[in-house]
Amino acid sequence: MDGFEYTAHPARIIFGSGTIKKLPGELSRLNLSHPLLLSTPEQTSHAEQVKNDVLHGKVAGVFGQATMHTPTDVTERAVEFARSSNADSIVSIGGGSTIGLGKAISIRTGLYHIAVPTTYAGSEVTPILGETAGGRKETRSDPKIRPGTVIYDVDYTLTLPVGLTATSGVNAIAHAVEALYAQNSNPIISLLAQEGTRSLATSLPELMNDPKSQRARSTALYGAWLCGTCLGNVGMSLHHKLCHVLGGSFNLPHAETHTIVLPHALSYNAPKVPEALRRLAEALPESNGDAVHGLNVLLAKLKVQRGLEAFGMKESDIDKAADIAVSNPYWNPREIERTAVRELIRRAWAGEDARSDL
Ligand code: NAD
């Protein structure tokens, strides 16, 4: 076995069905009594339900304007609301956008942050915060950004629309894929990556037919936790950089872009990462020992959109994206070669199946 370094990060995880009922006990354990609840406009009903049924109105308020990519003007309004309402903590109920707002408030105010994730994006267990100001998204990492407690309540994922269930789940698998070949990979995180991929790759196809299946939802959320933990512990490479460029420069949707790019990014790195491919192939059903094929099969079963063109990316943007993707050096298992990266982006744009000839 190669040498490695492993740092365990603090994590308090409460997992199960109906676990939101543990929120009052968690607040009193922390000597907190006046939380500000956060949601997007689409999920205020979840926040209101927590306020009325779980906390019986004992909250500082509900701020229901969380927005994708965490714009700083929204954060400033939320911080002002938290201060004027004397909030002593934050409870974010939602996906990466709402949890991002919770992180942004917490790092500015020092307020304790409890996250209640309702997608599979994984932000709740990472020290990473991406914020947008003046049209530019900047990402930073700080251990203080990581929420103090995560309450995974499977029941809140039952309403996740089928399309977002599929793409958010593949977004999570992308964290595991890149963790398996990370520069600072280690055996513990590789175990989580394999188990996380297996959990999602088996449960997501079931959810396409039966989105309310408690058993499949539970397996998927468990997989999302494991994959998020991978993202929070080791460095990511080409796939995450490309998705960041595509999302930021061409305003492409987060989970859908990850879903389209992932098999192509894996096929680009494949020649350099045989052990990661072996482990992934083991975790992906019907892979026949070929991880790229396994991902193609999974995406076909999930009936997801395969081409970036469908989300408004123009053919002329392919070269622009390739230029940006190769302009800033970063670590990747395979050297970044413009011609091959351009072809990767072209295939993702056109919606082709990934092939192992990049
Ligand atoms: P999202 O949070 O933007 O949610 C998408 C939509 O789905 C929203 O309208 C939301 O209210 C709705 N929704 C979420 N859960 C639902 C549920 N259970 N039922 C019904 N509706 C529901 O989507 P996302 O993909 O989770 O997050 C994307 C954002 O998170 C991006 O900005 C991305 O950069 C960020 N992110 C950050 C990290 C990190 O570590 N910092 C990790 C992953 C994603």
Side-chain angles (χ1 to χ4, degrees):
M1 175 176 283
D2 292 337
F4 62 89
E5 292 182 14
Y6 171 66
T7 307
H9 299 293
R12 177 161 166 73
I13 307 294
I14 300 171
F15 186 96
S17 165
T19 44
I20 196 67
K21 293 196 198 87
K22 298 192 176 173
L23 177 59
E26 185 63 10
L27 287 166
S28 43
R29 186 184 74 80
L30 296 157
N31 285 326
L32 300 168
S33 57
H34 209 50
L36 173 64
L37 310 188
L38 306 178
S39 76
T40 60
E42 295 79 24
Q43 275 184 286
T44 46
S45 59
H46 276 152
E48 289 295 332
Q49 195 232 329
V50 172
K51 174 185 160 187
N52 297 323
D53 301 352
V54 181
L55 297 173
H56 308 294
K58 289 188 207 136
V59 299
V62 174
F63 185 87
Q65 293 160 45
T67 307
M68 179 90 90
H69 304 311
T70 329
T72 51
D73 57 325
V74 175
T75 300
E76 278 154 24
R77 274 189 274 126
V79 165
E80 182 48 40
F81 187 27
R83 290 204 169 115
S84 63
S85 59
N86 292 319
D88 63 7
S89 49
I90 302 155
V91 178
S92 58
I93 306 142
S97 298
T98 308
I99 294 167
L101 176 62
K103 288 173 162 181
I105 302 171
S106 176
I107 194 71
R108 282 167 173 76
T109 59
L111 293 177
Y112 193 88
H113 181 191
I114 299 176
V116 183
T118 64
T119 69
Y120 305 131
S123 177
E124 64 280 359
V125 283
T126 81
I128 308 158
L129 170 61
E131 298 184 275
T132 318
R136 274 177 63 96
K137 187 165 179 177
E138 298 217 344
T139 300
R140 59 180 154 144
S141 181
D142 182 328
K144 292 200 278 301
I145 287 172
R146 203 186 310 259
T149 302
V150 182
I151 299 181
Y152 285 105
D153 189 334
V154 177
D155 298 357
Y156 282 135
T157 63
L158 296 175
T159 51
L160 190 63
V162 172
L164 189 53
T165 295
T167 54
S168 188
V170 180
N171 181 193
I173 292 176
H175 309 328
V177 167
E178 294 230 286
L180 281 169
Y181 56 63
Q183 189 175 25
N184 55 347
S185 69
N186 62 70
I188 301 290
I189 291 302
S190 295
L191 284 174
L192 303 192
Q194 223 178 347
E195 174 69 0
T197 302
R198 188 178 294 115
S199 302
L200 283 158
T202 50
S203 56
L204 294 177
E206 273 183 68
L207 289 170
M208 296 305 101
N209 299 323
D210 184 5
K212 301 275 183 209
S213 161
Q214 278 276 352
R215 192 178 43 80
R217 283 284 178 199
S218 181
T219 308
L221 194 58
Y222 167 66
W225 166 45
L226 299 178
C227 292
T229 304
C230 293
L231 175 67
N233 277 265
V234 296
M236 299 286 117
S237 20
L238 177 69
H239 170 78
H240 281 75
K241 303 288 173 197
L242 267 182
C243 292
H244 188 79
V245 165
L246 291 164
S249 309
F250 306 105
N251 198 25
L252 296 172
H254 177 81
E256 290 84 345
T257 302
H258 272 266
T259 302
I260 291 169
V261 172
L262 183 62
H264 301 287
L266 179 62
S267 108
Y268 182 95
N269 280 330
K272 298 287 183 190
V273 296
E275 176 58 14
L277 287 175
R278 187 191 64 71
R279 295 188 79 136
L280 270 175
E282 260 178 39
L284 290 166
E286 297 169 57
S287 71
N288 295 330
D290 176 343
V292 174
H293 173 69
L295 279 180
N296 281 332
V297 170
L298 177 64
L299 297 197
K301 277 195 218 161
L302 299 180
K303 300 191 174 66
V304 286
Q305 182 57 252
R306 295 296 302 269
L308 297 171
E309 187 181 10
F311 294 103
M313 185 176 172
K314 297 195 210 71
E315 192 166 8
S316 56
D317 292 336
I318 297 171
D319 273 306
K320 281 187 218 158
D323 286 340
I324 307 171
V326 301
S327 62
N328 283 327
Y330 50 87
W331 186 86
N332 189 62
R334 174 176 161 191
E335 208 179 319
I336 302 297
E337 299 156 26
R338 192 188 181 286
T339 310
V341 167
R342 189 203 182 277
E343 175 59 8
L344 184 172
I345 298 169
R346 191 202 62 73
R347 289 179 189 181
W349 173 82
E352 295 175 10
D353 257 8
R355 303 189 297 278
S356 55
D357 59 349
L358 272 173

